[in-house]
Amino acid sequence: MNGAGFLPGADANRPPAPGDLALPVAGHKLLTGPDGAFPRIGELPDRADWVPVGTLDGVPAWAADVADTEALPGDWQSWRRLAAHLPEPLATLAGRALAVITWRRTHRWCGACRAELADVPGETARRCPGCQLYVPLRLSAAVLVAITRPGPAGRSAPAGRAASASRPAELLLVRHSYGPTGLWALVAGFVEAGETLEAAAHREVREEVGLALDRVAYFGSQPWAMSGPGTLLTGFTATAADPNAEPVVDGRELTEARWFPLDALPAELPPAYSISRWLIDAVAAS
Ligand SMILES: [Zn+2]
């Protein structure tokens, strides 16, 4: 079967062919062709270091580590920019090429005995010829949590006095002290060893804004090419256990945390290609 869409893989059943997709990577940038999509192998100078990264609609795709953007003239773009304008699954393919090349560049030597690692054919993995240590491209899991609470009428109507107007529910958004600091984003963090995704969601929210959660529910996931070679973002929805509790920011990771009515969310939200935004949009539409 010629798989439709993008299928990640590491099999090189044959050498790169002129019509195959080529994804040269220099640092954090990828080369794009004149039409904004990826060039073909036959359009680029010959090189021997193509690494298989999968197939797109059955067409093999190859990545290569290019020393710098000067070495290969063309339109070099960050994954962030590519993800903003390329349709899926092209952005995912670009993310995998960036992840694989970054991993290869940062996992060259055995961490146990310092020998040079060797590629394991057919896998995105290396093995130490000295001590047999197996070094796959490992994923780091991170959680993002969209926390809601009822609107003012729903959470604190005094006894005996009916709430006259039903105000919309509210979503907790935070501002980080690093990265794009102007964005209103979701509470997020990496999963610790020995922790489930759900436990990480509870812990990150408790640590970063001091809130307890109810009804934590899985929403979806997204491979993310920006933070290291293999990050998998997982999204959750949850409600605040105490609807009247206010967030308290830790002051280190976060500078601000605020409840926003779902019909009055701020304009400075995460980009449309991110699971953060998918979560926020889904909650706002519910
Ligand atoms: Zn070793």
Side-chain angles (χ1 to χ4, degrees):
M1 187 185 93
N2 267 9
F6 169 59
L7 291 175
D11 265 324
N13 296 320
R14 55 162 177 73
D20 291 354
L21 291 161
L23 291 93
V25 177
H28 294 290
K29 294 191 166 175
L30 291 109
L31 182 71
T32 57
D35 55 354
F38 304 117
R40 303 283 170 164
I41 292 279
E43 296 166 3
L44 300 177
D46 278 345
R47 59 188 309 140
D49 60 349
W50 291 111
V51 178
V53 291
T55 59
L56 184 70
D57 296 329
V59 178
W62 307 81
D65 194 356
V66 176
D68 60 75
T69 56
E70 307 288 304
L72 204 55
D75 187 11
W76 289 89
Q77 299 196 36
S78 68
W79 179 77
R80 205 181 273 282
R81 271 190 59 203
L82 284 173
H85 78 248
L86 280 184
E88 286 298 353
L90 296 179
T92 301
L93 169 59
R96 174 160 168 87
L98 180 58
V100 169
I101 293 300
T102 304
W103 170 78
R104 292 177 66 84
R105 194 187 303 130
T106 54
H107 292 75
R108 290 180 55 199
W109 312 99
C110 177
C113 77
R114 309 183 199 183
E116 185 162 12
L117 299 173
D119 287 331
V120 178
E123 296 180 33
T124 308
R126 287 177 158 168
R127 195 186 300 279
C128 175
C131 73
Q132 304 303 313
L133 183 76
Y134 181 68
V135 185
L137 196 175
R138 290 201 174 83
L139 298 181
S140 304
V143 293
L144 300 101
V145 194
I147 311 159
T148 53
R149 69 174 182 179
R155 67 174 185 266
S156 57
R161 226 176 62 190
S164 54
S166 148
R167 303 272 299 280
E170 296 176 341
L171 171 67
L172 186 77
L173 294 174
V174 301
R175 276 182 158 156
H176 287 91
S177 55
Y178 55 86
T181 52
L183 282 188
W184 284 100
L186 299 174
V187 173
F190 283 100
V191 179
E192 295 282 349
E195 197 172 46
T196 63
L197 296 173
E198 292 80 359
H202 283 281
R203 177 184 50 76
E204 284 291 343
V205 170
R206 194 170 55 243
E207 285 176 4
E208 294 196 358
V209 292
L211 296 179
L213 298 178
D214 265 345
R215 292 192 284 164
V216 174
Y218 177 71
F219 169 83
S221 62
Q222 181 187 27
W224 191 248
M226 290 306 292
S227 2
T231 301
L232 182 65
L233 302 180
T234 61
F236 289 84
T237 57
T239 56
D242 174 0
N244 291 304
E246 292 302 325
V248 179
V249 298
D250 64 1
R252 290 178 300 117
E253 288 191 54
L254 300 183
T255 57
E256 223 175 332
R258 198 190 296 173
W259 293 106
F260 286 91
L262 286 178
D263 64 353
L265 296 178
E268 306 86 4
L269 292 176
Y273 58 83
S274 66
I275 191 173
S276 300
R277 184 58 172 273
W278 307 340
L279 263 164
I280 292 169
D281 290 349
V283 166
S286 64

